[in-house]
Amino acid sequence: MKRRNLSAIFVLIAVLCLSGCDRIMETYGRISGDFTPPAPVAPVFAVNTMLAVQGPIQDYLALTGDIIASSTVDTFSDTAGRVSRVYVNVGSTVRRGDPVVAVDPSRPGMEFVQSIVRAPVAGTIVALPAQLGMTISPAVPLARIAGAGGLEIRLFVAERFISRITMNQICEITLDAWPGHVFRGAIREISPTVDPVSRTMEIRVAVDNPGDLLKAGMFAKVQIIVEQRENIVKIPISGTVNRFGEQIIFVVDNSDPEGPVARRRYIVPGIQIDGVLEIREGLAPNEEVVIRGQALLDDGSRINIVDRLTPFN
């Protein structure tokens, strides 16, 4: 047992001596100038990349508003009296001249022929204040008819955006009632004045209504396309880095046999919409751009591409 312990002690002493000799030789080499330190290992940065895309980009104003009938007409009675009959319901379709309400102008001790109130225009009943048995006067509207002119969206544009609004601008409309559907429209009316209280200008957007999915009174989200460019180069805005007041990107260089490296590019940015940036100068279509992990990169940094993300449309 003692011999085994002594053997272990001798082995340990030998190891320590050899280690000490190595350190002594290294120290001697440093002093004499014969020691050559090992070359530093260049760091490799993990990154995600994406190909630059060539395609369109749109700049827009995002607004919200209510869908209304493009034209409405109120129906009135020529005489005062009591509503004796209602011929229609809200949502009923009428032609011009169809009966809407019957009014009995009779008074106690006197009987008169009922007066039939007829639709002045063709369209759809969107409001029906008249109720059976109620007493009305010629100033009280009995029904509201939306004409066949379609639907509009009433919007209010802030004063600072007025210069970007013009007639016939294309609009894209979405509604919570129809998720996934994008309806099309265009500006058809612009108010000539600005509300001095709210500092907004009213505009009307005529909207297409295929399948009669849209109804008056719905709440709509509208994107007014104020600028559109075709065949531009675009990347995610996350791929840019701002250094010393200049925007740069890093593209992948696969020409080095030891592995890919990052090359710095100075760019001229353009429109930035929804996280997408137009690159006017400094990048060509289908070049591979680092979009994640570029914060610590420099020109010539070695990179390890962890994931190549799918380009967007």
Side-chain angles (χ1 to χ4, degrees):
M1 194 70 180
K2 292 182 178 180
R3 290 181 178 178
R4 291 183 180 178
N5 292 338
L6 289 173
S7 299
I9 293 173
F10 286 140
V11 170
L12 178 61
I13 292 173
V15 170
L16 293 176
C17 290
L18 291 174
S19 176
C21 290
D22 289 342
R23 292 184 180 180
I24 292 172
M25 292 302 295
E26 179 179 337
T27 304
Y28 174 77
R30 290 179 183 276
I31 296 173
S32 62
D34 295 334
F35 175 74
T36 302
V41 179
V44 179
F45 299 90
V47 299
N48 290 350
T49 65
M50 179 184 290
L51 295 181
V53 176
Q54 185 173 26
I57 192 170
Q58 295 178 342
D59 192 5
Y60 62 85
L61 294 178
L63 302 173
T64 58
D66 296 320
I67 297 178
I68 60 175
S70 58
S71 63
T72 57
V73 177
D74 288 334
T75 304
F76 297 89
S77 172
D78 293 332
T79 61
R82 181 178 58 84
V83 175
S84 58
R85 185 175 179 181
V86 179
Y87 294 93
V88 296
N89 297 308
V90 174
S92 298
T93 301
V94 295
R95 295 173 297 179
R96 182 178 180 182
D98 285 352
V100 177
V101 175
V103 178
D104 184 2
S106 300
R107 295 182 176 86
M110 304 175 62
E111 291 187 4
F112 296 92
V113 177
Q114 290 188 358
S115 173
I116 305 298
V117 180
R118 299 184 180 276
V121 295
T124 303
I125 305 296
V126 294
L128 191 62
Q131 299 296 321
L132 188 64
M134 71 181 295
T135 300
I136 57 96
S137 68
V140 176
L142 302 178
R144 176 166 295 171
I145 303 174
L151 297 175
E152 293 180 341
I153 304 176
R154 180 170 55 192
L155 303 171
F156 296 90
V157 181
E159 185 176 6
R160 65 182 182 275
F161 297 128
I162 289 177
S163 62
R164 309 186 73 183
I165 299 297
T166 59
M167 289 290 291
N168 300 317
Q169 278 178 318
I170 301 301
C171 302
E172 297 180 351
I173 300 109
T174 57
L175 298 93
D176 292 338
W178 297 104
H181 284 67
V182 178
F183 299 87
R184 306 294 175 179
I187 295 178
R188 291 290 181 261
E189 183 179 331
I190 299 176
S191 174
T193 61
V194 174
D195 187 327
V197 177
S198 63
R199 294 298 176 187
T200 60
M201 180 180 70
E202 182 179 346
I203 63 174
R204 299 287 183 95
V205 173
V207 57
D208 297 333
N209 188 17
D212 292 328
L213 300 179
L214 304 181
K215 309 295 181 184
M218 284 183 169
F219 180 76
K221 302 173 184 177
V222 182
Q223 292 182 353
I224 302 175
I225 309 303
V226 296
E227 186 176 3
Q228 182 168 344
R229 296 179 184 172
E230 302 291 339
N231 298 320
I232 58 93
V233 180
K234 54 186 179 180
I235 63 170
I237 185 63
S238 60
T240 63
V241 179
N242 195 321
R243 291 182 182 174
F244 306 107
E246 292 184 300
Q247 279 192 287
I248 62 174
I249 60 174
F250 290 93
V251 297
V252 178
D253 181 3
N254 291 306
S255 62
D256 194 318
E258 296 185 9
V261 297
R263 297 300 180 190
R264 182 176 56 228
R265 293 276 186 86
Y266 291 93
I267 61 170
V268 177
I271 298 175
Q272 175 187 336
I273 295 294
D274 295 337
V276 179
L277 178 66
E278 172 195 10
I279 307 297
R280 295 183 178 178
E281 295 180 13
L283 185 66
N286 297 319
E287 285 194 278
E288 192 171 7
V289 182
V290 178
I291 62 169
R292 292 179 187 170
Q294 73 275 31
L296 300 178
L297 295 182
D298 206 346
D299 190 48
S301 296
R302 298 206 171 277
I303 56 176
N304 175 30
I305 301 175
V306 177
D307 192 10
R308 287 182 167 90
L309 302 180
T310 303
F312 45 70
N313 295 325

